[in-house]
């Protein structure tokens, strides 16, 4: 990949990220994040602060790795039987690009389905990717997932939107 | 269906034995409805914190058991709790969960208005009620207040019925856990802050309360989260500073001995707490500047005594628990025999460094969120228990661990931290308040 990604390359990256989640290639997925990258799922509508307001998830790479390793573990009772997930993306849009700084922001409305045993749950979300390039490869600095019902009483979400 | 338990105190009492309880406590919908009528009416139920309604006219809509209620600031110095229905047609008076109504509640249906104490202020086209005897009607009485309300250091509790003990008698020594949480503020004051997490559970509310003093499950059910955390952290570079998140997760994987020696204190009326000598919250890193603020506020000896208490979970029977050392409150709202809404509320220690609130909200999302890897395994075992109890192979749930025949007579005792004595204490209180005055 060129050092300066095209809009199409940014879009392809976002689409591939969802594909890795659907296929549960979670170690490959984890590699998409920068070392200081975060995954953020706010609990409040339009939430600005992840530090002094709680969230559904606000995880650095260490916490994401714990999550991924746990999903593979034998004593992970809530994953017996295992969950599956499906991302249905609307075409991602490139909202911001700063080639000099290597900062890119995309916006992707999506429907997300998580299923386990006989249950299936549909979520709707807008996902904002803050991307950068590291050694020529695109990486995620921040993936922000705004659920349409972020402040509702939810059941378990066990995989990654 | 033939009523098995209504009007049958003996049948209800027979469900709780010294060392086992009948599965109907978790499965039976009639029993659930009787809990709402008796247990959740004869006891003091947590409504909310008065910092949620700081200004006159501020309200917060919630439930006491199955009853929709509103907590409202009616004067600068007082908070009322009112049943949330218009006395006219029954319309719920609030749409949003919280907000400010100004000087009056105004029904969105026919614009009847009510003062903040619930009394009727005005009815449009009032002449239509002339000579109808309206003044003697239920409608003219306005919004019905909850009969007994007590604000303890900001924590507002309500009791729906006249049956059952007064506030101080009901809670007794148990209030020391709220005291410790409030005293941890250099200003002696808490504020609700940092957002609330709400998590739907397909299980009976008592499974959650039982679990809050169950110290033989973390090293099993949370091996997947806490054990994985310990494993992942092992590969951290030598000398790396342990992150707050690892400090929070790792102690869940502590061995049995850690929980045995922490102790459980058991109070009257179903209250009790784990973590008498230490807890999973004991070894968090110090927050810069905080101890000095506490010494300045309380003096060194008292400050150290306050911060030396590291109670794990305190159960305020029947359905709320607090964690003083990290300023969290969990409310288990009963919805049906097999449905519970769990709300986890965080508090700011007024006058303390922001890093304490940062830890509180981090703990909340790591442990109590619908996306929590700790919560996932807890819910899994609750739901499997809810399903497994349908089995006719055995109708009883065992709560025998470290039982002693003389324990029902003991008061304010400290037991081995792995005892199920606090669960037995809760079930004795369950029978007491289910059958009281019925």
């Amino acid at each position: 990949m060129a050092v300066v990604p095209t809009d199409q390359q940014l879009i392809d990256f976002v689409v591939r990220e969802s594909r890795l989640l659907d296929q549960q290639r979670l170690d490959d997925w984890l590699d998409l994040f920068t070392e200081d990258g975060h995954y953020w799922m706010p609990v409040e509508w339009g939430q600005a602060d992840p530090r002094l307001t709680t969230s559904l998830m606000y995880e650095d790479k260490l916490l994401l790795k714990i999550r991924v390793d746990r999903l593979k573990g034998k004593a992970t009772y809530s994953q017996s039987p295992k969950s599956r997930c499906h991302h249905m993306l609307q075409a991602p849009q490139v909202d911001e690009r700063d080639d000099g700084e290597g900062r890119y922001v995309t916006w992707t409305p999506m429907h997300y389905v998580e299923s386990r045993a006989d249950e299936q749950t549909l979520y709707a979300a807008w996902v904002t990717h803050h991307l950068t390039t590291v050694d020529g490869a695109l990486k995620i600095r921040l993936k922000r997932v705004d659920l349409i019902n972020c402040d509702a009483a939810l059941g378990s979400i066990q995989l990654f939107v | 269906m033939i009523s098995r338990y209504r009007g049958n105190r003996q049948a209800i009492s027979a469900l709780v034995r010294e060392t086992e309880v009948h599965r109907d406590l978790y499965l039976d919908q009639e029993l659930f409805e009787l809990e709402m009528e008796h247990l959740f009416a004869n006891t003091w139920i947590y409504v909310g914190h008065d910092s949620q309604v700081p200004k006159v006219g501020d309200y917060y809509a919630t439930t006491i058991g199955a009853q929709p209620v509103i907590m409202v600031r009616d004067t600068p110095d007082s908070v009322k709790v009112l049943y949330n229905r218009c006395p006219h047609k029954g319309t719920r008076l609030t749409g949003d969960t919280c907000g400010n109504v100004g000087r009056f509640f105004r029904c969105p249906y026919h614009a009847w208005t009510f003062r903040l104490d619930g009394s009727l202020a005005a009815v449009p086209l009032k002449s239509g009620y002339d000579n109808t005897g309206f003044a003697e009607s239920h409608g003219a009485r306005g919004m019905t207040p909850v009969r007994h309300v007590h604000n303890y250091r900001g924590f507002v509790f309500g009791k729906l019925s006249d049956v059952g003990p007064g506030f101080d008698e009901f809670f007794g020594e148990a209030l020391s856990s709220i005291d410790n949480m409030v005293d941890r503020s250099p200003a002696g004051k808490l504020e609700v802050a940092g957002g609330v997490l709400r998590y739907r559970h397909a299980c009976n509310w008592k499974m959650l309360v039982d679990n809050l003093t169950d110290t033989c499950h973390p090293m099993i059910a949370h091996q997947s989260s806490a054990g994985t955390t310990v494993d992942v952290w092992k590969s951290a570079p030598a000398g790396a500073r342990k992150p707050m998140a690892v400090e929070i997760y790792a102690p869940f994987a502590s061995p049995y001995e850690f929980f045995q020696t922490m102790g459980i204190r058991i109070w009257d009326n179903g209250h009790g707490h784990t973590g008498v000598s230490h807890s999973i919250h004991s070894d968090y890193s110090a927050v810069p500047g905080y101890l000095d603020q506490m010494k300045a506020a309380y003096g060194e000896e008292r400050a150290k005594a306050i911060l030396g208490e590291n109670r794990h979970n305190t159960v305020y029977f029947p359905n709320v628990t607090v964690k003083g050392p990290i300023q969290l409150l969990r409310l288990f709202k009963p919805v049906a025999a097999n449905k519970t809404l769990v709300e986890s509320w965080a508090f700011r220690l007024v006058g303390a460094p922001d890093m304490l609130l940062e830890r509180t909200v981090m703990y909340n999302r790591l442990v109590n969120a619908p996306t929590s890897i700790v919560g996932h395994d807890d819910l899994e075992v609750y739901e499997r228990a809810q399903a497994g109890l349908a089995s006719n192979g055995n109708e009883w749930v065992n709560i025998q661990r470290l039982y002693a025949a003389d324990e029902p007579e003991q008061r304010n005792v400290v037991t081995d931290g792995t005892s199920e004595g606090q669960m037995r204490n809760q079930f004795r209180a369950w029978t007491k308040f289910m059958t009281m005055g019925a």
Side-chain angles (χ1 to χ4, degrees):
Chain A
M1 185 188 291
V3 173
V4 174
T6 63
D7 279 6
Q8 189 59 46
Q9 283 171 318
L10 295 170
I11 291 164
D12 289 348
F13 178 89
V14 170
V15 172
R16 178 167 179 272
E17 193 245 343
S18 282
R19 178 173 173 161
L20 291 177
L21 289 173
D22 282 355
Q23 296 179 326
Q24 299 206 27
R25 292 160 62 188
L26 295 178
D27 290 315
D28 294 340
W29 176 75
L30 210 48
D31 284 341
L32 298 182
F33 285 80
T34 61
E35 288 312 302
D36 60 353
H38 281 79
Y39 180 109
W40 184 19
M41 189 188 289
V43 73
E44 293 187 349
W45 186 248
Q47 187 176 332
D49 173 32
R51 194 171 79 89
L52 297 182
T53 296
T54 198
S55 298
L56 293 165
M57 286 174 65
Y58 182 64
E59 309 220 331
D60 60 13
K61 209 164 179 177
L62 176 79
L63 284 170
L64 292 173
K65 179 167 173 51
I66 290 167
R67 230 173 236 278
V68 166
D69 283 6
R70 171 184 172 273
L71 288 171
K72 294 187 262 185
K74 285 194 176 63
T76 305
Y77 305 112
S78 78
Q79 283 298 293
S80 170
K82 288 189 177 301
S83 303
R84 299 173 200 142
C85 69
H86 181 279
H87 294 72
M88 174 65 83
L89 278 59
Q90 188 174 312
Q93 292 182 304
V94 179
D95 277 4
E96 294 173 34
R97 58 177 308 143
D98 181 337
D99 292 329
E101 293 289 323
R103 299 165 85 92
Y104 309 94
V105 179
T106 64
W107 163 264
T108 313
M110 67 169 66
H111 284 185
Y112 171 78
V113 172
E114 195 170 293
S115 80
R116 183 170 175 244
D118 293 339
E119 299 297 323
Q120 173 173 298
T121 310
L122 171 68
Y123 300 90
W126 298 272
V127 180
T128 311
H129 285 81
H130 295 251
L131 305 175
T132 190
T133 49
V134 176
D135 299 330
L138 277 170
K139 296 277 182 185
I140 301 169
R141 287 173 47 244
L142 173 67
K143 177 179 177 179
R144 173 176 172 141
V145 176
D146 285 286
L147 292 179
I148 192 168
N149 58 344
C150 56
D151 48 2
L154 299 169
S156 292
I157 303 174
Q158 296 209 49
L159 301 177
F160 299 94
V161 179
Chain B
M1 191 176 164
I2 297 166
S3 178
R4 281 188 289 174
Y5 296 115
R6 183 170 294 282
N8 191 347
R9 225 186 278 201
Q10 207 172 358
I12 292 173
S13 298
L15 296 170
V16 175
R17 300 173 178 169
E18 277 298 291
T19 58
E20 56 187 11
V21 296
H22 194 269
R23 63 176 177 178
D24 278 4
L25 268 78
Y26 303 91
L27 301 183
D28 190 87
Q29 186 61 23
E30 183 192 39
L31 212 46
F32 176 86
E33 284 156 18
L34 289 168
E35 286 181 336
M36 298 304 103
E37 291 170 36
H38 299 288
L39 180 62
F40 280 77
N42 298 339
T43 57
W44 290 88
I45 305 296
Y46 179 69
V47 178
H49 193 266
D50 70 5
S51 66
Q52 292 169 260
V53 289
K55 295 193 297 292
V56 171
D58 284 351
Y59 72 87
Y60 163 62
T62 180
T63 49
I64 295 179
Q67 297 296 309
V69 297
I70 309 171
M71 176 172 79
V72 59
R73 175 77 63 174
D74 65 325
T75 75
D77 303 316
S78 63
V79 164
K80 284 264 184 313
V81 181
L82 308 170
Y83 285 88
N84 195 352
R85 65 151 283 179
C86 179
H88 182 203
K89 302 291 191 196
T91 312
R92 200 181 65 208
L93 285 155
T94 56
D96 292 322
T97 303
C98 55
N100 186 291
V101 291
R103 292 171 56 216
F104 300 99
F105 288 99
R106 183 175 187 273
C107 181
Y109 199 177
H110 303 96
W112 287 27
T113 53
F114 308 92
R115 297 177 195 91
L116 298 179
D117 64 0
S119 60
L120 183 63
V123 172
L125 211 59
K126 187 78 185 292
S127 58
Y129 293 98
D130 288 350
N131 306 314
T132 65
F134 178 70
E136 309 308 317
S137 72
H138 285 101
R141 290 180 210 164
M143 297 164 68
T144 310
V146 168
R147 299 180 69 95
H148 305 277
V149 175
H150 192 97
N151 182 343
Y152 185 78
R153 303 191 75 178
F155 293 80
V156 177
F157 291 80
K159 184 162 72 75
L160 298 177
S161 92
D162 293 335
V163 175
F167 183 86
D168 291 333
E169 183 192 342
F170 181 67
F171 285 119
E173 292 288 315
L175 294 170
S176 57
S177 288
I178 287 179
D179 287 338
N180 182 255
M181 182 150 77
V182 180
D183 291 345
R184 283 169 174 266
S185 153
K189 199 174 170 201
L190 297 176
E191 283 174 359
V192 165
V196 59
L197 289 165
R198 302 166 70 232
Y199 192 173
R200 281 188 292 113
H201 278 50
C203 67
N204 188 271
W205 63 274
K206 291 186 290 301
M207 286 191 183
L208 286 130
V209 187
D210 297 351
N211 187 63
L212 267 284
T213 62
D214 182 317
T215 56
C216 286
H217 87 281
M219 66 296 289
I220 310 299
H222 303 309
Q223 176 61 27
S224 83
S225 47
T228 303
T229 300
V230 172
D231 288 344
V232 168
W233 183 242
K234 275 179 191 155
S235 57
R241 192 185 59 82
K242 195 189 273 188
M244 200 183 266
V246 175
E247 287 191 345
I248 288 171
Y249 272 149
F252 282 84
S254 302
Y256 286 112
E257 191 193 5
F258 177 89
F259 292 99
Q260 283 175 313
T261 55
M262 71 156 61
I264 298 180
R265 185 178 279 123
I266 296 172
W267 293 300
D268 269 353
N269 293 327
H271 316 302
H273 80 90
T274 48
V276 177
S277 62
H278 60 271
S279 77
I280 63 169
H281 309 305
S282 295
D283 291 328
Y284 295 160
S285 296
V287 169
Y290 177 48
L291 180 59
D292 289 338
Q293 289 179 328
M294 289 292 285
K295 284 180 185 170
Y298 294 101
E300 181 159 357
E301 195 181 340
R302 174 99 178 97
K304 285 185 169 168
I306 292 166
L307 300 177
E309 283 283 347
N310 279 293
R311 299 182 181 186
H312 181 176
N313 292 314
T314 298
V315 173
Y316 287 104
F317 185 79
N319 69 324
V320 66
T321 66
V322 304
K323 282 184 175 295
I326 50 163
Q327 302 90 51
L328 272 177
L329 178 148
R330 301 186 78 204
L331 183 59
F332 308 114
K333 289 183 162 177
V335 178
N338 62 354
K339 285 192 176 64
T340 305
L341 173 61
V342 184
E343 292 183 349
S344 300
W345 294 85
F347 295 87
R348 177 199 294 276
L349 296 170
V350 174
D354 277 350
M355 192 189 277
L356 284 152
L357 178 60
E358 181 179 358
R359 184 161 68 198
T360 302
V361 304
M362 178 184 281
Y363 187 98
N364 212 9
R365 73 169 176 268
L366 290 179
V367 178
N368 298 329
T371 36
S372 159
I373 57 177
V374 173
H376 290 159
D377 286 314
D378 276 330
L379 181 53
E380 176 69 12
V381 294
Y382 305 150
E383 291 184 349
R384 286 201 207 178
Q386 193 75 28
L389 286 175
S391 157
N392 291 332
N394 171 8
E395 296 186 1
W396 297 89
V397 173
N398 188 286
I399 48 167
Q400 201 150 9
R401 194 178 163 73
L402 291 167
Y403 171 72
D406 62 348
E407 78 179 21
E409 287 76 46
Q410 294 177 353
R411 294 286 178 274
N412 295 353
V413 291
V414 173
T415 69
D416 180 296
T418 57
S419 172
E420 287 172 344
Q422 170 55 19
M423 292 179 215
R424 295 188 286 275
N425 183 40
Q426 287 160 198
F427 289 112
R428 285 184 203 110
W430 185 88
T431 309
K432 174 178 173 179
F433 293 105
M434 281 293 278
T435 57
M436 187 175 267

